[in-house]
Amino acid sequence: MKYSGIGGQAVIEGIMMQNGNDYAIAVRKPDGEIEVKKDTYESVTKKVKCLGMPFIRGIFSFVDSMVVGIRALTWSCSFFEDDEEAEAGKIEKWMERLFGEKLEGILTTFVMIVSFVMAVGIFMLLPLLIAGVCRRFIHSGTGMAVLEGVIRIIIFIAYIKLVSRMKDIKRTFMYHGSEHKCINCIEHGLELTVENVRASSKEHKRCGTSFIMFVMIISILFFMVIRTDVIWLRMLSRIILIPVIAGVSYELLRFAGRHDSRAVNILSRPGMWMQGLTTTEPDDSMIEVAIAAVEAVFDWRAYLNENFPGWQENKALEEERGTVSHDHGAAVPAGE
């Protein structure tokens, strides 16, 4: 495996792929056609150099990924609105008059804040309160930290299991699998075809699910050391330490994604196991969408030429043996 620098996420009936400042969203529209939109987003860590320092860049990179992710999700949803010609409601009209062109940015910020608050409440504070019930029976600070961490993981698994029952989420998890399989295909030196992508792994070390798993494990280690008997101080510590835990977790994820060794693979294994909940094997039509998103922002042929010399000769040998099939269907770029 050789690091490519590309990453992405699944959206509604599609994939977003990002390479540096460039990102592309490919969506399978209701009529079966693939439409691709390409755009740019400059990370705040590049605009403000000090924010790009190790252990600081993690929290800001997470914010960047949320901004791009919400933009991609909003665009993909626009193809599947129930009634596109329905008249806007009074509140929507009022907000459009009040904020004008800034409305989309304001709504994005609002969604991010609400999502963050809910995540902190469900995955940081709730486990603390549940574990607190057992404090009278467990007098070890280490034991309480481990119990809280285990409860946090159980809540996360239960949450994923619950949302995965929804039809749209099931398909999103399939697109998530196609995203990983595309990146794995390229980073293991294979031509980007439906057949090669289908044969690649649906787990990847740089996945956001792995990041969440790192956060949960690192939080256990932090809270083993940082202890207090005052409940409101314990709750405050869970909130204040989020940027620190996220920063450390990001560095571990970044290191794991750029290296391939036995030790790194062991470090990544819990996150890879957890990806079994958030990724599902895609069908070929989903793989085609993922390939379209990759090709809009990444020259995978140049990457293979640089990192895997001779890949074309291997392809020629496979073609002689009749093991390589035709390329995927073309995508239609979206209008500006």
PDB file of all heavy atoms in Angstrom, residues 147-160:
ATOM      1  N   LEU A 147     -14.751   1.404  32.162  1.00  0.00           N
ATOM      2  CA  LEU A 147     -16.196   1.179  32.070  1.00  0.00           C
ATOM      3  C   LEU A 147     -16.855   2.266  31.228  1.00  0.00           C
ATOM      4  O   LEU A 147     -17.697   1.982  30.367  1.00  0.00           O
ATOM      5  CB  LEU A 147     -16.808   1.150  33.474  1.00  0.00           C
ATOM      6  CG  LEU A 147     -18.337   1.030  33.530  1.00  0.00           C
ATOM      7  CD1 LEU A 147     -18.795  -0.275  32.885  1.00  0.00           C
ATOM      8  CD2 LEU A 147     -18.833   1.146  34.969  1.00  0.00           C
ATOM      9  N   GLU A 148     -16.473   3.513  31.471  1.00  0.00           N
ATOM     10  CA  GLU A 148     -17.035   4.622  30.697  1.00  0.00           C
ATOM     11  C   GLU A 148     -16.712   4.468  29.215  1.00  0.00           C
ATOM     12  O   GLU A 148     -17.559   4.700  28.344  1.00  0.00           O
ATOM     13  CB  GLU A 148     -16.469   5.944  31.216  1.00  0.00           C
ATOM     14  CG  GLU A 148     -17.024   7.169  30.497  1.00  0.00           C
ATOM     15  CD  GLU A 148     -16.372   8.454  30.972  1.00  0.00           C
ATOM     16  OE1 GLU A 148     -15.827   8.479  32.097  1.00  0.00           O
ATOM     17  OE2 GLU A 148     -16.399   9.446  30.200  1.00  0.00           O
ATOM     18  N   GLY A 149     -15.481   4.047  28.913  1.00  0.00           N
ATOM     19  CA  GLY A 149     -15.088   3.845  27.525  1.00  0.00           C
ATOM     20  C   GLY A 149     -15.860   2.724  26.863  1.00  0.00           C
ATOM     21  O   GLY A 149     -16.270   2.835  25.696  1.00  0.00           O
ATOM     22  N   VAL A 150     -16.060   1.639  27.601  1.00  0.00           N
ATOM     23  CA  VAL A 150     -16.819   0.505  27.065  1.00  0.00           C
ATOM     24  C   VAL A 150     -18.264   0.921  26.786  1.00  0.00           C
ATOM     25  O   VAL A 150     -18.839   0.577  25.747  1.00  0.00           O
ATOM     26  CB  VAL A 150     -16.775  -0.688  28.041  1.00  0.00           C
ATOM     27  CG1 VAL A 150     -17.759  -1.772  27.609  1.00  0.00           C
ATOM     28  CG2 VAL A 150     -15.363  -1.261  28.115  1.00  0.00           C
ATOM     29  N   ILE A 151     -18.861   1.675  27.704  1.00  0.00           N
ATOM     30  CA  ILE A 151     -20.236   2.168  27.507  1.00  0.00           C
ATOM     31  C   ILE A 151     -20.298   3.070  26.281  1.00  0.00           C
ATOM     32  O   ILE A 151     -21.249   3.008  25.492  1.00  0.00           O
ATOM     33  CB  ILE A 151     -20.718   2.921  28.766  1.00  0.00           C
ATOM     34  CG1 ILE A 151     -20.872   1.948  29.936  1.00  0.00           C
ATOM     35  CG2 ILE A 151     -22.050   3.630  28.492  1.00  0.00           C
ATOM     36  CD1 ILE A 151     -21.174   2.621  31.258  1.00  0.00           C
ATOM     37  N   ARG A 152     -19.279   3.898  26.102  1.00  0.00           N
ATOM     38  CA  ARG A 152     -19.227   4.801  24.939  1.00  0.00           C
ATOM     39  C   ARG A 152     -19.215   4.000  23.636  1.00  0.00           C
ATOM     40  O   ARG A 152     -19.921   4.349  22.680  1.00  0.00           O
ATOM     41  CB  ARG A 152     -17.991   5.686  25.055  1.00  0.00           C
ATOM     42  CG  ARG A 152     -17.901   6.769  23.983  1.00  0.00           C
ATOM     43  CD  ARG A 152     -16.776   7.734  24.286  1.00  0.00           C
ATOM     44  NE  ARG A 152     -17.046   8.516  25.481  1.00  0.00           N
ATOM     45  CZ  ARG A 152     -16.323   8.468  26.582  1.00  0.00           C
ATOM     46  NH1 ARG A 152     -15.274   7.668  26.661  1.00  0.00           N
ATOM     47  NH2 ARG A 152     -16.642   9.221  27.620  1.00  0.00           N
ATOM     48  N   ILE A 153     -18.431   2.948  23.611  1.00  0.00           N
ATOM     49  CA  ILE A 153     -18.353   2.109  22.410  1.00  0.00           C
ATOM     50  C   ILE A 153     -19.684   1.389  22.163  1.00  0.00           C
ATOM     51  O   ILE A 153     -20.155   1.282  21.028  1.00  0.00           O
ATOM     52  CB  ILE A 153     -17.197   1.096  22.541  1.00  0.00           C
ATOM     53  CG1 ILE A 153     -15.852   1.833  22.538  1.00  0.00           C
ATOM     54  CG2 ILE A 153     -17.240   0.066  21.410  1.00  0.00           C
ATOM     55  CD1 ILE A 153     -14.661   0.946  22.839  1.00  0.00           C
ATOM     56  N   ILE A 154     -20.295   0.898  23.238  1.00  0.00           N
ATOM     57  CA  ILE A 154     -21.588   0.211  23.113  1.00  0.00           C
ATOM     58  C   ILE A 154     -22.651   1.160  22.565  1.00  0.00           C
ATOM     59  O   ILE A 154     -23.450   0.788  21.703  1.00  0.00           O
ATOM     60  CB  ILE A 154     -22.025  -0.378  24.478  1.00  0.00           C
ATOM     61  CG1 ILE A 154     -21.103  -1.529  24.870  1.00  0.00           C
ATOM     62  CG2 ILE A 154     -23.479  -0.852  24.419  1.00  0.00           C
ATOM     63  CD1 ILE A 154     -21.352  -2.063  26.270  1.00  0.00           C
ATOM     64  N   ILE A 155     -22.661   2.395  23.063  1.00  0.00           N
ATOM     65  CA  ILE A 155     -23.641   3.382  22.576  1.00  0.00           C
ATOM     66  C   ILE A 155     -23.416   3.658  21.093  1.00  0.00           C
ATOM     67  O   ILE A 155     -24.367   3.758  20.305  1.00  0.00           O
ATOM     68  CB  ILE A 155     -23.544   4.689  23.390  1.00  0.00           C
ATOM     69  CG1 ILE A 155     -24.072   4.464  24.805  1.00  0.00           C
ATOM     70  CG2 ILE A 155     -24.333   5.821  22.717  1.00  0.00           C
ATOM     71  CD1 ILE A 155     -23.918   5.668  25.719  1.00  0.00           C
ATOM     72  N   PHE A 156     -22.149   3.781  20.687  1.00  0.00           N
ATOM     73  CA  PHE A 156     -21.833   4.031  19.276  1.00  0.00           C
ATOM     74  C   PHE A 156     -22.298   2.873  18.402  1.00  0.00           C
ATOM     75  O   PHE A 156     -22.901   3.080  17.336  1.00  0.00           O
ATOM     76  CB  PHE A 156     -20.330   4.251  19.108  1.00  0.00           C
ATOM     77  CG  PHE A 156     -19.903   4.462  17.683  1.00  0.00           C
ATOM     78  CD1 PHE A 156     -20.234   5.626  17.009  1.00  0.00           C
ATOM     79  CD2 PHE A 156     -19.186   3.482  17.003  1.00  0.00           C
ATOM     80  CE1 PHE A 156     -19.842   5.824  15.689  1.00  0.00           C
ATOM     81  CE2 PHE A 156     -18.792   3.666  15.690  1.00  0.00           C
ATOM     82  CZ  PHE A 156     -19.121   4.842  15.030  1.00  0.00           C
ATOM     83  N   ILE A 157     -22.024   1.643  18.842  1.00  0.00           N
ATOM     84  CA  ILE A 157     -22.443   0.469  18.067  1.00  0.00           C
ATOM     85  C   ILE A 157     -23.967   0.409  17.981  1.00  0.00           C
ATOM     86  O   ILE A 157     -24.529   0.134  16.906  1.00  0.00           O
ATOM     87  CB  ILE A 157     -21.880  -0.819  18.707  1.00  0.00           C
ATOM     88  CG1 ILE A 157     -20.356  -0.857  18.565  1.00  0.00           C
ATOM     89  CG2 ILE A 157     -22.502  -2.056  18.065  1.00  0.00           C
ATOM     90  CD1 ILE A 157     -19.699  -2.016  19.280  1.00  0.00           C
ATOM     91  N   ALA A 158     -24.633   0.674  19.094  1.00  0.00           N
ATOM     92  CA  ALA A 158     -26.102   0.660  19.100  1.00  0.00           C
ATOM     93  C   ALA A 158     -26.664   1.726  18.163  1.00  0.00           C
ATOM     94  O   ALA A 158     -27.649   1.494  17.440  1.00  0.00           O
ATOM     95  CB  ALA A 158     -26.622   0.878  20.516  1.00  0.00           C
ATOM     96  N   TYR A 159     -26.024   2.895  18.151  1.00  0.00           N
ATOM     97  CA  TYR A 159     -26.455   3.987  17.270  1.00  0.00           C
ATOM     98  C   TYR A 159     -26.322   3.584  15.804  1.00  0.00           C
ATOM     99  O   TYR A 159     -27.247   3.774  14.999  1.00  0.00           O
ATOM    100  CB  TYR A 159     -25.621   5.233  17.566  1.00  0.00           C
ATOM    101  CG  TYR A 159     -25.795   6.345  16.560  1.00  0.00           C
ATOM    102  CD1 TYR A 159     -26.919   7.167  16.594  1.00  0.00           C
ATOM    103  CD2 TYR A 159     -24.827   6.577  15.589  1.00  0.00           C
ATOM    104  CE1 TYR A 159     -27.078   8.193  15.674  1.00  0.00           C
ATOM    105  CE2 TYR A 159     -24.981   7.594  14.658  1.00  0.00           C
ATOM    106  CZ  TYR A 159     -26.103   8.396  14.704  1.00  0.00           C
ATOM    107  OH  TYR A 159     -26.260   9.392  13.780  1.00  0.00           O
ATOM    108  N   ILE A 160     -25.168   3.005  15.448  1.00  0.00           N
ATOM    109  CA  ILE A 160     -24.944   2.582  14.060  1.00  0.00           C
ATOM    110  C   ILE A 160     -25.936   1.488  13.665  1.00  0.00           C
ATOM    111  O   ILE A 160     -26.505   1.501  12.564  1.00  0.00           O
ATOM    112  CB  ILE A 160     -23.499   2.076  13.866  1.00  0.00           C
ATOM    113  CG1 ILE A 160     -22.506   3.231  14.070  1.00  0.00           C
ATOM    114  CG2 ILE A 160     -23.319   1.466  12.479  1.00  0.00           C
ATOM    115  CD1 ILE A 160     -22.662   4.367  13.093  1.00  0.00           C
TER     116      ILE A 160
END
